[in-house]
Amino acid sequence: MTNEANSPAAIYANGGVSRNPASDELIATYPYQTPDEVERLLDNNASAFRLWRATPMTERVAAYRRLASTLRERSEALASLITAEMGKTIGEARAEVAKCAVTIDWIAGNGPAILADEPVTVDGDDEVYVSYLPVGTILAVMPWNFPIWQVLRASGPVMLSGNGFVLKHAPNVMGAAHALQEIYEAAGFPKGLFANLNADNETVAHVIEDSRIAAVTLTGSMRAGAAVASTAAKALKKSLLELGGSDAFIVLADANIDRAVEAAIRGRFQNAGQVCLAAKRFILERPVAEEFTRKFVEAAKALKVGDPMDASTQIGPMARKDLRDELHDQVERTIAAGATLLLGGKKVPGAGNFYEPTVLSDVAPGMAAFDEETFGPVAAITIADDVEHAIELANTSDYGLCGNLWTGDVARAQRMARRLETGGVFINGFSASDARIPVGGVKKSGYGRELSHFGLREFTNAQAVWAKTVS
């Protein structure tokens, strides 16, 4: 378990701390802003918002095009920063930055049509339309696991809609937060429109309540989501939450096992397993359980763990030591409850926060690796008697972010998908989120939808205008 000295409360008592998780090297510290600095930040942001909401859409789009270009120009520096601060392999970090640029371009190309006034046909000569107007500044509490992407997939739709944006980033990736603010300003956005809030939880709560903040969005844990949603509700402000996941990866008897294993390895071990919608619970129909498990373990054993700056590395370190300690505790509790350890299960000795790729079998409801979110390179295998049992096991969870179905019968899979209690389902494939597709969870995985037209309109005022004809 995490000792008190290494707990997040102790590490971040005075501000953000950027530390290389591969070497334990201290990169930088970021003291919390003073009350006067927070006040100036909110005032400057409010002024920038008033300017931005009056900016024509054509000029906003031009700024977005410059933003995408700036991301591409600085891609290598950003990727290196991501890897240094939170341990993502350099190849995955480069892909993250590239994906951000593509998404910003997509928002610039499609956002204006999505936000355009919508005419409504009514009887008579009256003219009725719905306008999507900005609501103000959105406070975004963002996580460390995708330090650039998570922010831009929130700020992109929010700001094109005409809103301001205040980022409260995770304290271990404050370097990324400052880099993003510099990129927005370099692209010609009003100074202060995208602003970094570096503050403790108490100050964040006060900022949510502040009249200059219109709404709040959070990507993070259930605990953090409950705290933010509670504060926002008391202030009568809208909140959008994308919380944790314990996604089921269902493999039925008629599935293509080799393809399923390939997708499962990527789906579980990408970003050292530190992905909200990663496949975590592998539910295998009994006839294919032995074959899938054998091939999955062989593939996991072959993964290269090491220096994330080495292009050949497939799994880097976990982001923080306390997170690694928590994951190891989950593994040990699961084994103690009767699961079988097939691979890994140990912290890698030496510098850094490395953890062995781990596979547990005979995992059942009631065990930590089944009931809890395992945010690291740990896979839990459970055997289902039949299709109905697989659906039952998949839905036996407090989480409902996403899910995977592997079968040769796509029509059956589509029927099954409607019975899975999740915000999304992949059938015979695994893909990163796409700007055209909404992302969000059900049950305790959050509420609201991000990206696509859902995100662009999520924080707008849908104003209906009814103009009567006067003779």
Side-chain angles (χ1 to χ4, degrees), residues 67-389:
L67 178 62
S69 295
T70 305
L71 284 166
R72 292 185 172 100
E73 290 167 4
R74 303 186 183 187
S75 61
E76 192 61 25
L78 285 171
S80 296
L81 177 60
I82 291 170
T83 299
E85 283 202 306
M86 56 73 57
K88 190 190 304 287
T89 64
I90 189 63
E92 290 176 338
R94 288 167 178 154
E96 178 177 339
V97 180
K99 178 180 177 181
C100 290
V102 169
T103 298
I104 293 299
D105 271 336
W106 185 91
I107 292 171
N110 296 274
I114 294 169
L115 292 168
D117 291 353
E118 290 185 349
V120 180
T121 302
V122 296
D123 293 337
D125 296 327
D126 297 344
E127 181 182 357
V128 181
Y129 58 92
V130 176
S131 295
Y132 295 95
L133 307 176
V135 296
T137 285
I138 313 305
L139 173 65
V141 182
M142 293 286 105
W144 48 262
N145 60 333
F146 289 86
I148 303 294
W149 163 246
Q150 293 279 16
V151 176
L152 285 170
R153 82 170 187 176
S155 62
V158 161
M159 294 173 68
L160 188 75
S161 304
N163 296 303
F165 194 85
V166 171
L167 168 64
K168 165 56 181 80
H169 217 330
N172 58 322
V173 291
M174 288 304 299
H178 285 283
L180 281 166
Q181 183 170 331
E182 290 172 4
I183 286 170
Y184 265 101
E185 292 178 2
F189 286 76
K191 189 174 179 61
L193 184 69
F194 180 106
N196 280 316
L197 173 68
N198 182 15
D200 60 16
N201 291 341
E202 183 179 357
T203 301
V204 171
H206 290 317
V207 170
I208 293 173
E209 296 167 348
D210 193 284
S211 61
R212 289 163 291 190
I213 296 296
V216 60
T217 179
L218 174 142
T219 298
S221 67
M222 288 195 297
R223 177 195 56 78
V228 165
S230 175
T231 303
K234 289 177 183 176
L236 294 178
K237 294 181 181 180
K238 184 173 184 176
S239 60
L240 183 153
L241 307 176
E242 197 257 273
L243 307 179
S246 186
D247 291 3
F249 190 104
I250 300 172
V251 182
L252 300 181
D254 60 349
N256 183 316
I257 299 303
D258 289 337
R259 286 188 57 200
V261 168
E262 181 183 357
I265 290 294
R266 180 185 172 206
R268 173 64 280 200
F269 296 109
Q270 179 191 10
N271 198 22
Q274 300 168 125
V275 182
C276 295
L277 51 68
K280 298 182 177 79
R281 296 178 298 138
F282 294 85
I283 299 172
L284 315 177
E285 198 171 8
R286 194 173 297 279
V288 293
E290 187 280 330
E291 180 186 1
F292 179 95
T293 300
R294 173 173 49 80
K295 292 180 176 180
F296 183 79
V297 170
E298 288 173 357
K301 188 183 297 183
L303 293 170
K304 180 181 177 181
V305 180
D307 179 5
M309 287 300 295
D310 182 338
S312 67
T313 295
Q314 295 166 291
I315 297 184
M318 294 184 62
R320 301 196 314 253
K321 274 191 166 47
D322 63 293
L323 298 172
R324 184 180 67 166
D325 291 344
E326 181 181 345
L327 181 73
H328 187 58
D329 176 68
Q330 291 173 308
V331 169
E332 290 190 322
R333 286 190 286 122
T334 303
I335 294 170
T340 302
L341 178 65
L342 299 181
L343 180 69
K346 296 177 184 176
K347 304 174 189 177
V348 177
N353 311 329
F354 295 92
Y355 198 81
E356 296 178 342
T358 297
V359 182
L360 301 167
S361 66
D362 306 312
V363 178
M367 297 182 184
F370 192 98
D371 295 349
E372 303 170 13
E373 180 177 30
T374 51
F375 213 64
V378 174
I381 292 177
T382 303
I383 296 178
D385 296 329
D386 52 32
V387 172
E388 290 300 315
H389 190 206

Side-chain angles (χ1 to χ4, degrees), residues 51-67 108 112 159-160 187-190 193:
L51 175 65
W52 182 245
R53 72 177 176 184
T55 300
M57 181 60 76
T58 53
E59 293 183 27
R60 292 186 209 164
V61 168
Y64 269 62
R65 296 297 188 194
R66 294 193 298 270
L67 178 62
M159 294 173 68
L160 188 75
F189 286 76
L193 184 69

